[in-house]
Amino acid sequence: MTERAVPPVLAHPIVQAYLRDLDAALIGTPESERALVREEITAHIVADSSTLDGLTSTLKGGFLESRWGGVLTVLALAFGGILIPLVGWIAGVAMLWVSSGWTRGEKILGTLVLPGGFAGLLLTGLLPVWSLAGFETCEASSDSTAVACDTVNPLLPTALDGAVAILFLLLVAAQTAVSIILLMRFRAARLSGA
Amino acid sequence: MYCMDDGKVLVNLRKGVLEPCVLALMRDGERYGVDLAKTLVTAGLIASEGTLYPVLARLRSGGMVSTRWEESPAGPPRRYYRLTPAGEDALRVFARVWAPFSTSVHAILTGESA
């Protein structure tokens, strides 16, 4: 086959970005299949000028459905509340529900696990410590003539602290797992073209 | 709770019939990939034209189709696809199974079955 000049359409930034995404999506497929898909889609773009219009509308009109839109949504859900308390997480929830790139189940999962993301987790994790720090417990004697008071030291380990710590770690693991699951499912959905 | 909608139904149904339909489109002779893609999009069997090429790649790897290049005066060389004897066999088997299967599904959906 003779050497040919690269058609101008293939140098278009949108086409370049699309082909980079395609190469990433094809990692792991057999070499012969990967080569055919790459060649055919490149030839298709060159042969059909309307393809570029389609790519343009897809990439411009659907940022939230793009790879970076999905990553931004998951990051906002997990860490948005830390950057901008409450508002950051709400923005993540809004992006999650507005985007057509997520299923209803994924939207519900991302919203419920966990409200506020890591920021909400930090807040609820610290509450028991704060409450214990302000407690002074008093006990009256049996004849009610003496009252004994004792201040709880939050620095000393107690059974409650241990339970709270375990619960806190479980919630951290849940938030992390849900973030990873959402990213993997979003990537899988994009690759399948569903 | 599993929620069924038109999109999910279509995705599931396409999975089972796309490859045989691609084979069937080559039954009367070799086809250009872009033409195949447009036909399948129009028929609602694929959501976007690019979806076809991984299917064609699998069919070629599986020996169901063969390809050849042809120079094009209006652009890059075109790859044409045609059925192999194995592809013709696979298409025949699918058509044989599909006819009674689709009849049964239709009968059940419309309440015509006993």
Side-chain angles (χ1 to χ4, degrees):
Chain A
M1 202 176 296
T2 55
E3 193 73 22
R4 291 167 180 271
V6 176
V9 67
L10 294 182
H12 193 289
I14 290 175
V15 174
Q16 293 275 309
Y18 176 79
L19 292 176
R20 276 196 300 275
D21 277 357
L22 179 64
D23 287 337
L26 290 171
I27 290 173
T29 56
E31 172 57 31
S32 62
E33 292 185 22
R34 185 162 65 237
L36 185 143
V37 172
R38 182 65 151 79
E39 284 172 10
E40 285 289 72
I41 288 186
T42 304
H44 191 124
I45 292 170
V46 174
D48 186 359
S49 58
S50 66
T51 302
L52 183 58
D53 297 336
L55 288 176
T56 307
S57 63
T58 299
L59 293 176
K60 281 185 180 172
F63 171 73
L64 290 178
E65 289 78 17
S66 71
R67 177 174 56 175
W68 294 115
V71 170
L72 182 66
T73 301
V74 174
L75 288 177
L77 286 168
F79 302 107
I82 295 175
L83 295 176
I84 311 171
L86 193 61
V87 175
W89 177 74
I90 290 175
V93 173
M95 288 192 285
L96 183 70
W97 284 88
V98 165
S99 170
S100 61
W102 306 97
T103 65
R104 180 175 293 272
E106 288 161 355
K107 289 174 179 178
I108 292 170
L109 180 69
T111 306
L112 295 183
V113 184
L114 296 163
F118 282 114
L121 198 52
L122 286 173
L123 193 64
T124 51
L126 290 173
L127 277 177
V129 177
W130 291 338
S131 61
L132 284 175
F135 269 130
E136 186 181 51
T137 56
C138 298
E139 277 185 15
S141 62
S142 56
D143 57 4
S144 300
T145 56
V147 176
C149 292
D150 185 26
T151 303
V152 175
N153 185 345
L155 297 178
L156 295 175
T158 65
L160 180 60
D161 286 343
V164 169
I166 290 170
L167 180 64
F168 184 76
L169 289 176
L170 286 175
L171 291 175
V172 168
Q175 176 67 68
T176 305
V178 166
S179 298
I180 292 171
I181 288 168
L182 287 178
L183 284 173
M184 290 175 67
R185 291 183 64 128
F186 187 77
R187 182 172 183 272
R190 290 188 75 237
L191 295 186
S192 70
Chain B
M1 187 177 65
Y2 182 78
C3 181
M4 189 176 283
D5 57 35
D6 290 16
K8 283 179 182 167
V9 171
L10 270 175
V11 167
N12 288 330
L13 290 177
R14 284 167 177 161
K15 282 178 186 167
V17 300
L18 183 54
E19 289 189 7
C21 286
V22 172
L23 294 177
L25 287 174
M26 297 176 213
R27 187 171 35 203
D28 296 328
E30 62 182 9
R31 296 287 298 265
Y32 175 39
V34 173
D35 290 340
L36 280 174
K38 289 185 184 304
T39 302
L40 290 164
V41 167
T42 304
L45 283 170
I46 53 176
S48 66
E49 293 174 6
T51 312
L52 171 66
Y53 297 109
V55 176
L56 288 173
R58 281 199 302 275
L59 289 172
R60 190 179 72 162
S61 295
M64 303 290 170
V65 301
S66 59
T67 63
R68 72 171 181 89
W69 288 103
E70 186 172 300
E71 290 294 326
S72 165
R78 293 178 166 192
R79 195 197 301 264
Y80 283 84
Y81 296 82
R82 68 182 310 147
L83 281 181
T84 63
E88 290 172 358
D89 285 346
L91 181 56
R92 238 185 328 267
V93 170
F94 181 84
R96 190 170 64 230
V97 173
W98 174 256
F101 178 81
S102 61
T103 302
S104 297
V105 172
H106 179 77
I108 289 172
L109 288 179
T110 56
E112 293 169 6
S113 63

